[in-house]
Amino acid sequence: MSVNLKCFVVPAGFSLEIRAFYVFGLAGSVVVGPADASVTGSDRVTVTEVVDGDTLDVRYSDGTTDTVRLLDVDTPETHGGNTPDEFEGVPTNDAGEACLADEGEDATSFVTSRLEGKQVTLKYDSESDKRGYYGRLLAYVYYGGEDYNDKLINSGRARVYDSTFSKSDSYYSAESSAQSERRDLWRCRNAGGAGDIDIETIHADAAGNDNDNLNDEYVVLENTGSSTISLSGWTISDAAGHSYTFSDASIAPGETVSLHTGGGSDSSSDVYWSRSSAVWNNDGDTVFLDTDSESRATSRAY
């Protein structure tokens, strides 16, 4: 059914969050913004607390405080239930909700470890109201020259919040890539199925020299489903194409298997790649996990 958006009048003064809800609720469509939209204006603040993956408490140099909602991204909830149908392709069942809850915790930990206590730059969008429905400041958050809103989407830790904003093309492109690679929350599309595996930990930086301590470089896989999963024929690889294929391993529900880079005797909880040099880059890499049918089960960028 087609809908003529001109028949809907959005009341003046409504925030972007309300206007987006109003338009979606009535028309199920997005109004495209003007071509001259831009990112403009900035403030330097200190992150005093990470509330969750997309919300920060900050302090200005004059001592005043504020709460920032990362503009146009949405991470799974950690302080309440999740609605799976907000995350395209995630099943609307208990498994989907549980998977999103896990990923919400991961997104919060990811942002906390990188931004809490740090000075960041807030940038604003000419196509967005400066404050949202709950009075929170709406901003792009930059640290170390990186756009952390984009970083969350690109790593699969957030979805794009459907609205009108300047970076829509690049954000939707990043989201599409994250979905195709089953990065982080997008692995939840497999929730309750045969690929219900989480890359729970990536310990890339071994103590001392990585090449001298290969078994302290490892990746931990966790079965977040309700059935035992055989990993026989499954493959772990990195962005450079180094790969390891599991020969005989399985994970019971709630259990983990750690893949160590060095050598050793395989057990039900630990397997060994038997490489002579380190594989995971300390300054960032991507871990890919493929099933025995060569389909992408999940991936995680760090």
Side-chain angles (χ1 to χ4, degrees), residues 154-156 174 177-178 181-187 298-299 301:
N154 192 59
S155 67
S177 175
E181 295 292 348
R182 294 290 198 267
R183 292 179 201 150
D184 280 69
L185 79 81
W186 301 114
R187 75 175 176 87
T298 186
S299 67

Side-chain angles (χ1 to χ4, degrees), residues 72-145:
D72 298 312
V73 304
D74 182 32
T75 60
E77 298 294 332
T78 56
H79 301 293
N82 285 286
T83 305
D85 57 12
E86 292 180 348
F87 296 86
E88 183 182 0
V90 176
T92 55
N93 54 25
D94 289 345
E97 290 185 31
C99 184
L100 287 173
D102 287 342
E103 292 303 324
E105 294 291 346
D106 172 70
T108 300
S109 296
F110 178 81
V111 175
T112 299
S113 65
R114 288 159 175 77
L115 299 185
E116 194 162 88
K118 303 294 196 304
Q119 273 201 332
V120 302
T121 299
L122 305 180
K123 296 186 179 182
Y124 309 103
D125 196 311
S126 66
E127 272 302 287
S128 168
D129 291 337
K130 198 168 183 179
R131 292 195 180 272
Y133 179 56
Y134 297 107
R136 298 173 299 187
L137 197 61
L138 302 174
Y140 300 108
V141 176
Y142 282 77
Y143 177 67

Side-chain angles (χ1 to χ4, degrees), residues 24-91:
F24 273 92
L26 293 175
S29 303
V30 181
V31 180
V32 177
D36 62 353
S38 64
V39 178
T40 180
S42 66
D43 286 306
R44 288 284 285 172
V45 298
T46 298
V47 178
T48 56
E49 183 180 0
V50 174
V51 179
D52 59 26
D54 55 33
T55 308
L56 313 174
D57 286 338
V58 301
R59 182 179 63 248
Y60 295 91
S61 58
D62 64 2
T64 59
T65 60
D66 214 334
T67 297
V68 177
R69 176 67 163 77
L70 274 66
L71 183 60
D72 298 312
V73 304
D74 182 32
T75 60
E77 298 294 332
T78 56
H79 301 293
N82 285 286
T83 305
D85 57 12
E86 292 180 348
F87 296 86
E88 183 182 0
V90 176

